[in-house]
Structure formats: C-alpha cells, structure tokens
Coordinates of all heavy atoms in Angstrom, one line a residue:
M149 N 0.8 -1.1 0.0 CA 0.0 -0.1 0.0 C 0.9 1.2 0.0 O 1.8 1.4 0.8 CB -0.9 0.0 1.2 CG -1.9 1.2 1.3 SD -3.2 1.1 2.7 CE -2.2 0.9 4.0
I150 N 0.6 2.2 -0.9 CA 1.3 3.4 -0.9 C 0.5 4.6 -0.2 O -0.5 4.8 -0.5 CB 1.5 3.8 -2.4 CG1 2.2 2.8 -3.2 CG2 2.2 5.2 -2.6 CD1 2.3 3.0 -4.6
M151 N 1.2 5.1 0.8 CA 0.6 6.2 1.4 C 1.4 7.5 1.1 O 2.6 7.4 1.2 CB 0.6 5.9 3.0 CG -0.4 4.8 3.4 SD -2.1 5.0 3.2 CE -2.4 6.1 4.4
S152 N 0.8 8.5 1.2 CA 1.4 9.8 1.0 C 1.1 10.7 2.1 O 0.4 10.3 3.1 CB 0.9 10.6 -0.3 OG -0.3 10.9 -0.2
D153 N 1.8 11.9 2.2 CA 1.5 12.8 3.4 C 0.3 13.7 3.0 O 0.1 14.7 3.9 CB 2.8 13.6 3.5 CG 3.2 14.4 2.3 OD1 2.6 14.3 1.3 OD2 4.2 15.2 2.6
K154 N -0.5 13.4 2.2 CA -1.6 14.2 1.9 C -2.7 13.9 2.9 O -2.8 12.8 3.4 CB -2.2 13.9 0.3 CG -1.4 14.3 -0.7 CD -2.0 13.9 -2.0 CE -1.0 14.4 -3.1 NZ -1.7 14.1 -4.4
K155 N -3.5 14.9 3.1 CA -4.6 14.8 4.0 C -5.6 13.7 3.6 O -6.2 13.9 2.5 CB -5.3 16.1 4.4 CG -6.5 16.0 5.5 CD -7.0 17.4 5.5 CE -8.2 17.3 6.4 NZ -9.5 17.6 5.7
I156 N -6.1 12.9 4.3 CA -7.1 11.9 4.0 C -8.4 12.3 4.9 O -8.3 12.3 6.0 CB -6.6 10.5 4.3 CG1 -5.4 10.1 3.6 CG2 -7.8 9.4 4.0 CD1 -5.5 10.1 2.0
D157 N -9.6 12.3 4.2 CA -10.8 12.6 4.9 C -11.3 11.4 5.5 O -12.1 11.4 6.5 CB -11.7 13.3 4.0 CG -11.3 14.6 3.6 OD1 -10.9 15.4 4.5 OD2 -11.4 15.1 2.5
I158 N -11.3 10.3 4.7 CA -12.0 9.1 4.9 C -11.3 7.8 4.3 O -10.8 7.9 3.4 CB -13.5 9.0 4.6 CG1 -14.3 7.9 5.2 CG2 -13.6 9.1 3.0 CD1 -15.9 8.2 5.1
A159 N -11.3 6.7 5.2 CA -10.8 5.5 4.7 C -11.9 4.5 4.4 O -12.8 4.3 5.2 CB -9.8 4.9 5.7
V160 N -11.9 3.9 3.2 CA -12.9 2.8 3.1 C -12.3 1.5 3.0 O -11.2 1.2 2.4 CB -13.5 3.0 1.6 CG1 -14.5 1.9 1.2 CG2 -14.2 4.3 1.4
I161 N -12.8 0.6 3.8 CA -12.1 -0.7 4.1 C -12.9 -1.7 3.2 O -14.1 -2.0 3.4 CB -12.1 -1.2 5.5 CG1 -11.3 0.0 6.3 CG2 -11.5 -2.6 5.7 CD1 -10.8 -0.2 7.6
G162 N -12.1 -2.4 2.3 CA -12.7 -3.4 1.4 C -12.9 -2.8 -0.1 O -13.4 -1.8 -0.3
A163 N -12.2 -3.5 -0.8 CA -12.2 -2.9 -2.3 C -12.8 -3.7 -3.2 O -12.6 -3.9 -4.5 CB -10.6 -2.8 -2.7
G164 N -14.1 -4.3 -2.7 CA -14.9 -5.0 -3.5 C -15.8 -4.0 -4.2 O -15.7 -2.9 -4.2
I165 N -16.9 -4.3 -4.9 CA -17.7 -3.5 -5.6 C -18.3 -2.5 -4.7 O -18.5 -1.4 -5.1 CB -18.8 -4.2 -6.4 CG1 -19.6 -3.3 -7.5 CG2 -19.8 -4.9 -5.5 CD1 -18.6 -3.0 -8.5
V166 N -18.8 -2.8 -3.5 CA -19.4 -1.8 -2.6 C -18.3 -0.9 -2.1 O -18.6 0.4 -2.1 CB -20.1 -2.5 -1.4 CG1 -20.5 -1.5 -0.4 CG2 -21.1 -3.5 -1.8
G167 N -17.2 -1.3 -1.7 CA -16.2 -0.4 -1.4 C -15.6 0.5 -2.4 O -15.5 1.8 -2.2
V168 N -15.5 0.1 -3.6 CA -15.0 0.9 -4.8 C -16.0 2.0 -5.2 O -15.8 3.1 -5.4 CB -14.6 0.1 -6.0 CG1 -14.3 1.0 -7.1 CG2 -13.3 -0.8 -5.6
S169 N -17.4 1.5 -5.1 CA -18.5 2.5 -5.4 C -18.4 3.5 -4.3 O -18.7 4.6 -4.7 CB -19.6 1.6 -5.4 OG -19.6 0.7 -6.6
S170 N -18.4 3.1 -3.1 CA -18.4 4.1 -2.0 C -17.4 5.0 -2.1 O -17.6 6.3 -2.0 CB -18.4 3.4 -0.7 OG -19.5 2.4 -0.6
A171 N -16.1 4.6 -2.3 CA -15.0 5.5 -2.5 C -15.1 6.5 -3.7 O -14.8 7.6 -3.6 CB -13.7 4.7 -2.7
L172 N -15.7 5.9 -4.9 CA -15.9 6.8 -5.9 C -17.0 7.9 -5.7 O -16.7 9.0 -6.0 CB -16.4 5.9 -7.2 CG -16.9 6.7 -8.4 CD1 -15.6 7.4 -9.0 CD2 -17.5 5.8 -9.4
W173 N -18.1 7.5 -5.1 CA -19.1 8.5 -4.6 C -18.4 9.5 -3.6 O -18.8 10.7 -3.6 CB -20.4 8.0 -4.3 CG -21.0 7.5 -5.4 CD1 -21.2 6.1 -6.0 CD2 -21.8 8.2 -6.4 NE1 -21.9 6.0 -7.0 CE2 -22.3 7.3 -7.4 CE3 -22.2 9.6 -6.5 CZ2 -23.1 7.7 -8.4 CZ3 -23.0 10.0 -7.5 CH2 -23.5 9.1 -8.6
L174 N -17.7 9.1 -2.7 CA -17.2 10.0 -1.7 C -16.1 10.9 -2.4 O -16.2 12.2 -2.1 CB -16.5 9.2 -0.5 CG -17.4 8.5 0.3 CD1 -16.5 7.3 1.2 CD2 -18.0 9.4 1.2
Q175 N -15.4 10.5 -3.3 CA -14.4 11.3 -4.1 C -15.3 12.3 -4.8 O -14.9 13.5 -5.0 CB -13.6 10.6 -5.1 CG -12.5 9.9 -4.3 CD -11.6 9.1 -5.2 OE1 -12.1 8.7 -6.4 NE2 -10.4 8.9 -5.0
R176 N -16.4 12.0 -5.5 CA -17.2 12.9 -6.3 C -17.9 13.9 -5.3 O -18.2 15.1 -5.9 CB -18.4 12.1 -7.0 CG -18.0 11.3 -8.0 CD -19.1 10.6 -8.7 NE -18.7 10.0 -9.8 CZ -19.5 9.2 -10.7 NH1 -20.7 9.1 -10.4 NH2 -19.1 8.6 -11.7
Q177 N -18.0 13.7 -4.1 CA -18.5 14.7 -3.1 C -17.2 15.6 -2.7 O -17.5 16.6 -1.8 CB -18.9 14.2 -1.9 CG -20.4 13.3 -2.2 CD -21.4 14.3 -2.7 OE1 -21.6 15.3 -2.2 NE2 -22.1 13.9 -3.8
G178 N -16.0 15.4 -3.2 CA -14.9 16.3 -2.9 C -14.0 15.9 -1.7 O -13.1 16.6 -1.2
L179 N -14.4 14.6 -1.2 CA -13.4 14.0 0.0 C -12.2 13.4 -0.6 O -12.2 12.8 -1.7 CB -14.2 13.1 0.7 CG -15.5 13.6 1.5 CD1 -16.3 12.6 2.0 CD2 -15.1 14.6 2.5
K180 N -11.2 13.4 0.1 CA -10.0 12.7 -0.1 C -10.1 11.3 0.5 O -10.3 11.2 1.7 CB -8.8 13.3 0.5 CG -8.5 14.8 -0.1 CD -8.2 14.8 -1.4 CE -7.8 16.2 -1.9 NZ -7.9 16.4 -3.3
V181 N -10.0 10.3 -0.4 CA -10.4 8.9 0.1 C -9.2 8.0 -0.1 O -8.5 8.0 -1.0 CB -11.7 8.4 -0.7 CG1 -12.0 6.9 -0.2 CG2 -12.7 9.2 -0.6
V182 N -8.9 7.1 0.9 CA -8.0 6.0 0.7 C -8.8 4.7 0.8 O -9.6 4.6 1.5 CB -6.8 6.1 1.7 CG1 -7.4 5.9 3.2 CG2 -5.8 5.1 1.5
L183 N -8.5 3.8 -0.2 CA -9.2 2.5 -0.3 C -8.2 1.5 0.1 O -7.1 1.4 -0.3 CB -9.5 2.4 -1.7 CG -10.4 1.2 -2.1 CD1 -11.8 1.2 -1.3 CD2 -10.8 1.1 -3.6
I184 N -8.7 0.6 1.2 CA -7.8 -0.3 1.9 C -8.3 -1.8 1.6 O -9.5 -1.9 1.9 CB -7.6 0.0 3.3 CG1 -7.0 1.4 3.6 CG2 -6.8 -1.0 4.1 CD1 -7.1 2.0 5.0
D185 N -7.5 -2.7 1.4 CA -8.1 -4.1 1.1 C -6.8 -5.0 1.5 O -5.7 -4.5 1.2 CB -8.6 -4.3 -0.3 CG -9.4 -5.5 -0.3 OD1 -8.9 -6.7 -0.1 OD2 -10.6 -5.5 -0.5
R186 N -7.0 -6.0 2.1 CA -6.0 -6.9 2.4 C -5.3 -7.5 1.2 O -4.2 -7.9 1.1 CB -6.4 -8.0 3.4 CG -7.4 -9.0 2.8 CD -7.7 -10.1 3.7 NE -8.9 -10.8 3.2 CZ -9.6 -11.6 3.8 NH1 -9.4 -11.7 5.1 NH2 -10.5 -12.2 3.3
D187 N -6.1 -7.8 0.1 CA -5.6 -8.1 -1.2 C -5.6 -7.1 -2.2 O -6.1 -6.1 -1.9 CB -6.6 -9.4 -1.7 CG -6.6 -10.5 -0.6 OD1 -5.4 -11.0 -0.2 OD2 -7.7 -11.1 -0.4
Q188 N -5.2 -7.7 -3.5 CA -5.3 -6.7 -4.6 C -6.8 -6.2 -4.8 O -7.6 -7.0 -4.7 CB -4.7 -7.3 -5.9 CG -4.7 -6.5 -7.1 CD -4.0 -7.1 -8.3 OE1 -3.6 -8.4 -8.2 NE2 -4.2 -6.5 -9.3
H189 N -7.0 -5.0 -5.1 CA -8.3 -4.4 -5.3 C -9.1 -5.4 -6.5 O -8.6 -5.7 -7.4 CB -8.3 -3.0 -5.8 CG -7.8 -2.2 -4.7 ND1 -7.5 -0.7 -4.9 CD2 -7.3 -2.4 -3.5 CE1 -7.1 -0.3 -3.8 NE2 -6.8 -1.1 -2.9
G190 N -10.2 -5.6 -6.1 CA -11.2 -6.3 -7.0 C -11.0 -7.9 -6.9 O -11.7 -8.6 -7.8
L191 N -10.2 -8.4 -6.1 CA -10.1 -9.9 -6.1 C -11.1 -10.6 -5.1 O -11.1 -11.9 -5.1 CB -8.7 -10.2 -5.6 CG -7.6 -10.0 -6.7 CD1 -6.2 -10.5 -6.1 CD2 -7.9 -10.8 -8.0
G192 N -11.9 -9.8 -4.3 CA -12.7 -10.5 -3.3 C -13.9 -10.9 -4.1 O -13.9 -11.6 -5.1
A193 N -15.1 -10.7 -3.5 CA -16.4 -11.1 -4.0 C -16.6 -10.4 -5.4 O -17.4 -11.0 -6.2 CB -17.5 -10.5 -3.1
S194 N -16.0 -9.3 -5.8 CA -16.2 -8.6 -7.0 C -15.6 -9.5 -8.3 O -16.2 -9.3 -9.4 CB -15.5 -7.3 -7.1 OG -16.1 -6.4 -6.1
S195 N -14.9 -10.4 -8.0 CA -14.2 -11.1 -9.1 C -15.2 -12.0 -9.8 O -15.2 -12.3 -11.0 CB -12.9 -11.9 -8.9 OG -13.4 -12.9 -7.9
G196 N -16.2 -12.6 -9.0 CA -17.1 -13.4 -9.6 C -18.2 -12.8 -10.5 O -18.7 -13.3 -11.3
N197 N -18.5 -11.5 -10.3 CA -19.5 -10.9 -11.2 C -18.9 -10.1 -12.4 O -19.6 -9.4 -13.0 CB -20.4 -10.1 -10.3 CG -19.7 -8.8 -9.7 OD1 -18.6 -8.4 -10.1 ND2 -20.4 -8.1 -8.7
A198 N -17.6 -10.1 -12.4 CA -16.9 -9.4 -13.6 C -17.1 -8.0 -13.5 O -17.0 -7.4 -14.8 CB -17.3 -10.1 -14.9
G199 N -17.6 -7.3 -12.5 CA -17.8 -5.9 -12.5 C -19.2 -5.5 -13.2 O -19.3 -4.3 -13.5
V200 N -20.1 -6.4 -13.3 CA -21.2 -6.2 -14.0 C -22.5 -6.0 -13.0 O -22.6 -6.8 -12.1 CB -21.7 -7.4 -15.0 CG1 -23.0 -7.2 -15.6 CG2 -20.5 -7.5 -16.0
F201 N -23.2 -4.9 -13.2 CA -24.3 -4.6 -12.5 C -25.6 -5.3 -13.2 O -25.7 -5.0 -14.5 CB -24.6 -3.3 -12.2 CG -23.7 -2.6 -11.2 CD1 -22.7 -1.8 -11.6 CD2 -23.9 -2.8 -9.9 CE1 -21.8 -1.2 -10.8 CE2 -23.1 -2.2 -8.9 CZ -22.0 -1.4 -9.4
G202 N -26.4 -6.1 -12.7 CA -27.4 -6.8 -13.4 C -28.8 -5.9 -13.1 O -29.6 -6.3 -12.4
D203 N -28.9 -4.7 -13.9 CA -30.0 -3.9 -13.7 C -31.3 -4.6 -14.2 O -32.4 -4.3 -13.8 CB -29.9 -2.5 -14.3 CG -29.7 -2.7 -15.8 OD1 -29.4 -3.7 -16.4 OD2 -29.7 -1.6 -16.5
Y204 N -31.3 -5.5 -15.0 CA -32.3 -6.4 -15.5 C -33.0 -7.2 -14.4 O -34.1 -7.6 -14.6 CB -31.9 -7.2 -16.6 CG -30.8 -8.1 -16.3 CD1 -30.8 -9.4 -15.7 CD2 -29.3 -7.7 -16.6 CE1 -29.8 -10.2 -15.3 CE2 -28.3 -8.5 -16.3 CZ -28.5 -9.6 -15.6 OH -27.5 -10.5 -15.3
S205 N -32.2 -7.5 -13.3 CA -32.8 -8.3 -12.2 C -33.0 -7.5 -11.0 O -33.2 -8.2 -10.0 CB -31.9 -9.5 -12.1 OG -30.6 -9.0 -11.6
C206 N -33.1 -6.3 -10.9 CA -33.2 -5.5 -9.7 C -34.5 -5.0 -9.7 O -35.1 -4.5 -10.7 CB -32.2 -4.4 -9.7 SG -30.5 -5.1 -9.5
S207 N -35.1 -4.8 -8.6 CA -36.4 -4.1 -8.3 C -36.1 -3.1 -7.2 O -35.6 -3.4 -6.3 CB -37.6 -5.1 -7.9 OG -37.8 -6.0 -9.0
A208 N -36.8 -1.9 -7.4 CA -36.7 -0.9 -6.3 C -37.8 -1.4 -5.3 O -39.0 -1.3 -5.4 CB -37.2 0.4 -6.8
L209 N -37.2 -1.7 -4.1 CA -38.1 -2.3 -3.1 C -39.0 -1.2 -2.3 O -39.9 -1.5 -1.5 CB -37.3 -3.1 -2.1 CG -36.6 -4.3 -2.7 CD1 -35.7 -5.1 -1.7 CD2 -37.6 -5.3 -3.2
N210 N -38.4 0.0 -2.5 CA -39.2 1.1 -1.8 C -40.2 1.7 -2.6 O -40.7 2.9 -2.3 CB -38.1 2.1 -1.3 CG -37.4 2.8 -2.3 OD1 -37.4 2.2 -3.5 ND2 -36.7 3.8 -2.0
D211 N -40.5 1.1 -3.7 CA -41.6 1.8 -4.7 C -42.9 1.2 -4.4 O -43.1 0.0 -4.3 CB -41.2 1.3 -6.2 CG -41.8 1.9 -7.2 OD1 -42.9 2.5 -6.8 OD2 -41.7 1.7 -8.4
P212 N -43.9 2.1 -4.0 CA -45.1 1.7 -3.5 C -45.9 0.9 -4.7 O -46.6 0.1 -4.3 CB -45.9 3.1 -3.3 CG -44.8 4.0 -3.3 CD -43.7 3.6 -4.0
S213 N -45.6 1.1 -6.1 CA -46.2 0.2 -7.0 C -45.9 -1.3 -7.0 O -46.5 -2.0 -7.7 CB -46.0 1.0 -8.3 OG -44.5 0.7 -8.7
L214 N -44.7 -1.5 -6.1 CA -44.3 -3.0 -6.2 C -45.4 -3.8 -5.7 O -45.6 -5.0 -6.2 CB -43.2 -3.0 -5.2 CG -42.5 -4.5 -5.1 CD1 -42.0 -4.9 -6.5 CD2 -41.4 -4.5 -4.2
I215 N -46.3 -3.4 -4.8 CA -47.4 -4.3 -4.2 C -48.3 -4.7 -5.4 O -48.5 -5.9 -5.4 CB -48.2 -3.5 -3.1 CG1 -47.3 -3.2 -2.0 CG2 -49.5 -4.2 -2.7 CD1 -46.7 -4.4 -1.3
K216 N -48.6 -3.9 -6.4 CA -49.6 -4.1 -7.4 C -48.6 -5.2 -8.4 O -49.3 -6.0 -9.0 CB -50.0 -2.9 -8.2 CG -50.9 -2.1 -7.4 CD -51.3 -0.8 -8.2 CE -52.1 0.1 -7.4 NZ -52.4 1.4 -8.0
Q217 N -47.4 -4.9 -8.5 CA -46.7 -5.8 -9.5 C -46.3 -7.1 -8.9 O -45.8 -7.9 -9.7 CB -45.4 -5.0 -9.9 CG -45.6 -3.7 -10.6 CD -44.4 -2.9 -10.7 OE1 -43.2 -3.4 -10.5 NE2 -44.4 -1.5 -11.0
L218 N -46.4 -7.3 -7.7 CA -45.9 -8.4 -7.0 C -46.4 -9.8 -7.6 O -45.6 -10.7 -7.8 CB -46.2 -8.3 -5.5 CG -45.2 -9.1 -4.6 CD1 -43.7 -9.0 -4.8 CD2 -45.5 -9.0 -3.1
P219 N -47.8 -9.9 -7.7 CA -48.2 -11.2 -8.2 C -47.7 -11.6 -9.7 O -47.3 -12.7 -10.0 CB -49.7 -11.0 -8.3 CG -50.0 -10.0 -7.2 CD -48.8 -9.0 -7.3
Q220 N -47.6 -10.5 -10.5 CA -46.9 -10.8 -11.8 C -45.5 -11.1 -11.7 O -45.0 -12.0 -12.4 CB -47.1 -9.5 -12.7 CG -46.4 -9.6 -14.0 CD -46.5 -8.2 -14.7 OE1 -47.1 -7.2 -14.2 NE2 -45.9 -8.2 -15.9
K221 N -44.8 -10.5 -10.8 CA -43.4 -10.8 -10.7 C -43.2 -12.2 -10.1 O -42.3 -12.9 -10.5 CB -42.7 -9.7 -9.7 CG -42.5 -8.4 -10.4 CD -41.8 -7.5 -9.5 CE -41.5 -6.1 -10.2 NZ -40.7 -6.1 -11.3
I222 N -44.1 -12.6 -9.1 CA -43.9 -13.9 -8.5 C -44.1 -15.1 -9.5 O -43.5 -16.1 -9.6 CB -44.8 -14.1 -7.3 CG1 -44.3 -13.2 -6.2 CG2 -44.9 -15.5 -6.7 CD1 -45.2 -13.0 -5.0
F223 N -45.3 -14.9 -10.2 CA -45.8 -15.9 -11.2 C -45.3 -15.9 -12.6 O -45.7 -16.7 -13.4 CB -47.3 -16.0 -11.1 CG -47.8 -16.3 -9.8 CD1 -48.6 -15.4 -9.0 CD2 -47.7 -17.6 -9.2 CE1 -49.0 -15.7 -7.8 CE2 -48.1 -17.8 -7.9 CZ -48.9 -16.9 -7.3
A224 N -44.4 -15.1 -12.9 CA -43.6 -14.9 -14.2 C -43.0 -16.1 -14.5 O -42.3 -16.8 -13.5 CB -42.9 -13.6 -14.4
K225 N -42.9 -16.6 -15.7 CA -42.2 -17.8 -16.1 C -40.7 -17.6 -15.8 O -40.1 -18.7 -15.4 CB -42.4 -18.0 -17.7 CG -43.7 -18.6 -18.0 CD -43.8 -19.1 -19.3 CE -45.2 -19.6 -19.6 NZ -45.4 -20.3 -20.7
N226 N -40.1 -16.5 -15.8 CA -38.6 -16.4 -15.6 C -38.4 -15.9 -14.2 O -37.2 -15.7 -13.9 CB -38.0 -15.4 -16.6 CG -38.6 -14.0 -16.4 OD1 -39.6 -13.8 -15.7 ND2 -38.0 -13.0 -17.1
S227 N -39.3 -16.1 -13.3 CA -39.2 -15.7 -11.9 C -38.4 -16.9 -11.2 O -38.5 -18.0 -11.4 CB -40.6 -15.5 -11.2 OG -40.3 -15.4 -9.8
R228 N -37.3 -16.3 -10.4 CA -36.6 -17.3 -9.6 C -36.8 -16.9 -8.0 O -36.2 -15.9 -7.7 CB -35.1 -17.3 -10.0 CG -35.0 -18.0 -11.4 CD -33.6 -18.2 -11.7 NE -33.0 -16.9 -12.0 CZ -31.8 -16.6 -12.0 NH1 -30.7 -17.6 -11.6 NH2 -31.2 -15.5 -12.4
L229 N -37.4 -17.6 -7.3 CA -37.5 -17.3 -6.0 C -36.5 -18.2 -5.0 O -36.2 -19.3 -5.6 CB -38.9 -17.7 -5.5 CG -40.1 -16.9 -6.0 CD1 -41.3 -17.5 -5.6 CD2 -40.0 -15.5 -5.8
P230 N -36.0 -17.5 -4.1 CA -34.9 -18.3 -3.4 C -35.5 -19.6 -2.6 O -36.6 -19.8 -2.5 CB -34.5 -17.3 -2.3 CG -35.4 -16.0 -2.4 CD -36.2 -16.3 -3.6

C-alpha cells in the first residue's frame, strides 16, 4: 500500500464493488479517500461478477407500486424465488 503525506478525509475498508463504489461517490463529493484491502483491489467478491451490475434483475423495493406488481413478478415464467 502506498501512502502519501496528503490529508485523508475518510478510509474505505474493502475494495470489492461496494467499497470501490463508495470510494468513488465520496470522491465525487470532494473528499480525499484512501481505499484499503488486504488483497489486490477487485479480487474479493467482485471477481465473480466481472464488475457487471445486473439492472435487468433488480427491483426498487421502496417503490409503492411494487405491491401491485408483486403477483406478476412472482408468477412470471422467468421468476426465480430463493
């Protein structure tokens, strides 16, 4: 890990997709961020998804219209329930 004498506002621990995304958004807000991981960045849980976000399989859970859509989503042919 390379550290400099520059002021750091916040440290993000974990360089998976959540850590990297968090660090990116914090930098966009003007903060000086250091990203820390025990391994090389991106080798943890992020390596399995190849850095892809599956927006095709995400639902906004805080959307009030979800209740009306729920039966259709549950009984769709391509629905996969845990």
Side-chain angles (χ1 to χ4, degrees):
M149 177 169 59
I150 300 171
M151 296 292 288
S152 69
D153 57 353
K154 293 182 182 178
K155 178 183 174 246
I156 301 295
D157 294 314
I158 192 162
V160 176
I161 304 199
I165 193 66
V166 173
V168 170
S169 296
S170 298
L172 175 63
W173 282 99
L174 289 164
Q175 283 182 332
R176 287 182 176 182
Q177 296 296 316
L179 296 170
K180 301 292 183 196
V181 181
V182 63
L183 189 56
I184 301 169
D185 199 294
R186 66 178 172 197
D187 298 318
Q188 183 179 351
H189 296 177
L191 286 183
S194 298
S195 66
N197 67 15
V200 175
F201 288 106
D203 62 347
Y204 52 84
S205 65
C206 295
S207 296
L209 298 178
N210 63 348
D211 185 351
S213 69
L214 181 62
I215 297 295
K216 291 179 184 176
Q217 299 170 9
L218 202 53
Q220 178 185 357
K221 290 183 178 292
I222 291 173
F223 297 111
K225 288 188 178 196
N226 63 351
S227 176
R228 288 189 285 160
L229 297 174

